[in-house]
Amino acid sequence: MRAILLTALLAVASTAAGQVGLPAVRLPAVPALPVPGLPTEGLSPESGAAAAALGELDARSLRELRQLRVRELLRRHRDVIEADPSGEPIVRGEVIALAPTAAALAAAEAAGFAIVRERAFETLGTRLVVLHAAGATARGLERIRALDPAGTYDFNHIYLESGGPGLATAAEAPPAAGGAAPPSPAPGTAPAGAASARVGLIDSGVDAGHEVFRGVAIHRHGCAGTPVPEHHGTAVASLLVGRAGAFRGAAPGAELYAADVFCGLATGGAVDTVADAFAWLVGERVPVINVSLVGPPDRMLEAIVASVIARGYLVVAAVGNDGPAAPPLYPAAWPGVVGVTAVDARRRVLPEAERGPQVKLAAPGADMAAARLPRGYALVRGTSFASPIVAGLLALRLRAPGEDAAAALAALEGQAIHPGAPGLDPAYGYGLVGADLGPPTALVRAGAR
């Protein structure tokens, strides 16, 4: 029974179907449940049957969901992807050096390593050099670390999206408001000053043609200038800056800087590409950066993220959905990152959400809808979709990187609702924010008046 549940959940939880080649499995529609002002013709499995199944799974099973995704990725793309000693996906044959000296590179080349590419990040004052390791990649990393003990080297890890939109049919038209919600700006309008806010997104591609982005300035980066829209990036972006009818993101109408780090490639989400996205956003001086991606610890990306935060930027990241007992995922667990968990319509933390000191804030992340391709809306579930709510709220407070970043975060934390223990609770962090962007008290189904 557990294997069946895992297989079904994997099919709906994985958003990177374009990247990992997972089949589009459609489960039966489930009874209607409250959704945040967004009517649907049928709710996605992630908000009903799958959610109930998640409640029945133990922590080990929850952790296995992402592991199954990784195994499928490795199986389908073994020519370019392999596993590191911990089982995490990496680009086959590649190791990365952080700002290596000329002597270190010469020694590496003499030992049989070849320079594949180099990325100079002037905005961060550093560079990454990608090297090809002949033979086993893990052995190659050991050898180059031995050649240059003072240097910083690691695998080119691949980071995956943390959650995904539902597969059920959703409303095509802009949703109507449903039920009573806390006081908020008029439907489809931006809070005061939202249009002048700027927020960054590191994710898969965004479909700028979706109605929720009408009138929203979107700046793109990656994929050699050719847009590659995907479900995950579009959904997350809509929760950041979208607006249509009663639908509104956390910072509706704000200027969006969207870096696509997947581009439809099997090796999408690799560290060097994610690092390049951070460097671009710093160069554009975008003060708040949302990262709804998860992966293992990595020395390169940790150094890049630390450099970004040290310059007065706020990095907001999903804590992941591997379960409450799972080891922490990154970048959310690195120092200074605002790790975000997700709650459901009853303000209960999702059973699949990770817990621990990396959780800084909670936000709605289930029983709600987001934009989907090619049009309309789909129900979403996961910490991926709570993170943009926090990022959007912070973008309304922080208009430029600098010393005000800490104050902006402290102010938002000060407004949080505390459903957990006082202080830094391992489940809710400092508390719940953006509750007014969560579900209303009643559902208005498509066509119902």
Side-chain angles (χ1 to χ4, degrees):
M1 175 63 180
R2 191 174 81 173
I4 295 174
L5 290 173
L6 284 170
T7 301
L9 285 170
L10 176 63
V12 297
S14 173
T15 66
Q19 284 82 39
V20 302
L22 294 177
V25 177
R26 185 182 299 273
L27 298 184
V30 296
L33 297 174
V35 202
L38 303 177
T40 58
E41 297 173 12
L43 300 190
S44 95
E46 296 186 18
S47 286
L54 279 170
E56 298 175 6
L57 296 176
D58 57 24
R60 179 181 176 185
S61 298
L62 292 168
R63 184 180 177 190
E64 286 175 356
L65 288 174
R66 191 175 65 88
Q67 292 176 341
L68 284 172
R69 275 189 70 190
V70 170
R71 290 188 200 124
E72 182 69 3
L73 186 69
L74 294 169
R75 185 184 70 81
R76 289 183 175 270
H77 304 289
R78 63 186 66 183
D79 57 327
V80 291
I81 299 174
E82 61 180 304
D84 72 3
S86 298
E88 298 290 348
I90 60 175
V91 180
R92 180 175 291 278
E94 291 188 356
V95 297
I96 302 181
L98 177 65
T101 65
L105 283 180
E109 289 184 294
F113 290 88
I115 297 177
V116 178
R117 57 190 176 276
E118 183 172 345
R119 293 179 181 265
F121 304 138
E122 290 84 0
T123 58
L124 298 176
T126 191
R127 76 188 200 282
L128 297 184
V129 178
V130 180
L131 302 167
H132 180 265
T137 312
R139 178 57 182 153
L141 181 59
E142 292 177 359
R143 286 195 298 121
I144 199 164
R145 284 176 174 173
L147 285 171
D148 182 21
T152 302
Y153 302 89
D154 212 328
F155 298 110
N156 197 0
H157 282 108
I158 292 173
Y159 285 69
L160 303 175
E161 300 102 325
S162 175
L167 298 174
T169 301
E172 299 293 345
S184 61
T189 64
S196 62
R198 301 160 75 235
V199 64
L201 174 64
I202 298 178
D203 210 295
S204 56
V206 176
D207 180 8
H210 196 285
E211 65 180 355
V212 293
F213 303 119
R214 191 171 298 138
V216 176
I218 300 180
H219 308 273
R220 302 177 186 272
H221 180 73
C223 310
T226 302
V228 186
E230 293 287 351
H231 288 293
H232 192 271
T234 300
V236 172
S238 72
L239 295 171
L240 268 174
V241 303
R243 56 184 181 186
F247 182 98
R248 66 182 180 92
E255 199 168 354
L256 178 66
Y257 289 74
D260 186 348
V261 296
F262 289 95
C263 302
L265 302 175
T267 55
V271 163
D272 62 324
T273 306
V274 177
D276 177 73
F278 272 113
W280 172 67
L281 290 167
V282 170
E284 297 293 334
R285 293 188 58 78
V286 182
V288 180
I289 302 170
N290 183 78
V291 190
S292 291
L293 308 178
V294 294
D298 182 276
R299 296 183 185 185
M300 302 301 108
L301 197 53
E302 180 179 11
I304 293 294
V305 169
S307 180
V308 171
I309 293 172
R311 285 167 164 77
Y313 294 79
L314 288 174
V315 177
V316 184
V319 298
N321 310 305
D322 278 14
L329 292 171
Y330 300 84
W334 281 320
V337 176
V338 184
V340 180
T341 192
V343 301
D344 62 16
R346 298 182 181 181
R347 298 185 179 180
R348 299 175 302 188
V349 67
L350 301 188
E352 67 268 32
E354 294 222 0
R355 303 190 183 193
Q358 73 272 30
V359 179
K360 298 301 188 296
L361 287 168
D367 307 314
M368 65 181 190
R372 67 166 298 162
L373 300 181
R375 61 185 181 275
Y377 304 85
L379 293 186
V380 293
R381 179 187 180 92
T383 59
S384 261
F385 309 106
S387 182
I389 291 177
V390 172
L393 294 174
L394 286 171
L396 296 177
R397 296 175 177 273
L398 185 65
R399 299 308 172 93
E403 296 179 357
D404 292 338
L409 178 58
L412 185 60
E413 291 173 348
Q415 292 186 347
I417 301 168
H418 297 274
L424 187 62
D425 180 80
Y428 295 91
Y430 289 108
L432 170 65
V433 298
D436 59 318
L437 298 172
T441 56
L443 171 71
V444 180
R445 293 178 65 88
R449 293 291 185 268

